Amino acid sequence: LGRFAPNGAPCAVFDQTIAAWAMVSAWGLSNYKLLEANAARAVAAVEQAMLAPDGPPTGAELGAVLALLGEQYASFGRAEPARRITALARQALAGQAFGKTRRGDAALHLAQMVLGETFLPELTVARTWPGDLTADPLQTLFAVQAVQRTDAKVRAQQVEILRGLLVPGACEQGALAWRAAAEFDDATSNALLLIALGTGNKPFASAGSK
């Protein structure tokens, strides 16, 4: 655990980071003690992966997931490692700008919100919310995380749209609710969209939120 790749081989830093976020969430939300050490190892692996000889990796998507990981770990009482992860998020976001891709814009906007910036809800929706919620599950995940940091009315409106796309009874029957999209396979597409639905059912508050 901690590398999240077959046979212990290193995998992409982004993949490690999103897996660590999932591990930390599973531990903290369940308070299952046996996961605590695994969560700590996952976070430590991310820190190690960011220590590239030619400097830390950068990118809006990586920065967004690092920011989410730091926020989540801090909320579970791990202030010091969370502070280091948040510092890595700021490094990953260095020099990033809007206008490259829709997913990148959603990630960058979300990262800025998690790190304490505030925006009008209309700008958050415009920058993050995709026209097709199933076309790019990762952008949809970033978008849902972003709108969870706006006012209650916007949250309810946007998340209800995503919930309405879920095939009734699909999850209970073990069936896939959405087809594969973007560069993801069926399982990953559904995992990302179901995470988005789950986070959409509970508002998140970043350090800069009121």
Side-chain angles (χ1 to χ4, degrees):
L1 289 169
R3 287 182 104 45
F4 303 99
N7 305 316
C11 60
V13 177
F14 178 83
D15 294 342
Q16 292 193 50
T17 305
I18 201 165
W21 179 44
M23 179 68 75
V24 166
S25 299
W27 160 64
L29 295 173
S30 69
N31 198 28
Y32 187 47
K33 296 299 184 184
L34 292 177
L35 288 176
E36 184 173 359
N38 291 332
R41 281 198 293 270
V43 173
V46 168
E47 291 189 75
Q48 183 63 36
M50 289 292 290
L51 299 176
D54 55 350
T58 61
E61 295 167 34
L62 176 59
V65 180
L66 282 166
L68 289 169
L69 174 59
E71 176 189 57
Q72 191 80 306
Y73 214 31
S75 73
F76 298 144
R78 297 298 185 266
E80 181 51 32
R83 182 196 63 78
R84 296 196 302 269
I85 291 293
T86 300
L88 291 173
R90 295 184 186 279
Q91 291 181 31
L93 293 167
Q96 299 302 306
F98 291 102
K100 295 180 180 178
T101 66
R102 286 289 296 163
R103 185 198 291 176
D105 285 355
L108 181 54
H109 188 88
L110 169 62
Q112 291 174 343
M113 296 179 83
V114 176
L115 295 175
E117 295 190 44
T118 57
F119 303 96
L120 292 174
E122 293 81 3
L123 178 59
T124 294
V125 173
R127 275 185 175 168
T128 66
W129 204 256
D132 182 348
L133 288 167
T134 61
D136 186 338
L138 187 53
Q139 181 188 340
T140 297
L141 177 57
F142 291 146
V144 171
Q145 283 281 326
V147 298
Q148 289 309 297
R149 292 163 167 83
T150 62
D151 63 60
K153 183 177 180 180
V154 172
R155 290 199 303 265
Q157 288 174 341
Q158 301 305 321
V159 174
E160 192 58 36
I161 295 171
L162 178 58
R163 188 178 294 112
L165 296 175
L166 184 64
V167 177
C171 297
E172 292 82 353
Q173 297 168 14
L176 293 172
W178 297 279
R179 297 187 64 81
E183 69 270 29
F184 307 107
D185 59 21
D186 282 336
T188 305
S189 290
N190 279 266
L192 289 169
L193 288 167
L194 287 170
I195 291 170
L197 270 176
T199 60
N201 287 327
K202 174 173 160 251
F204 285 79
S206 67
S209 303
K210 298 294 186 256

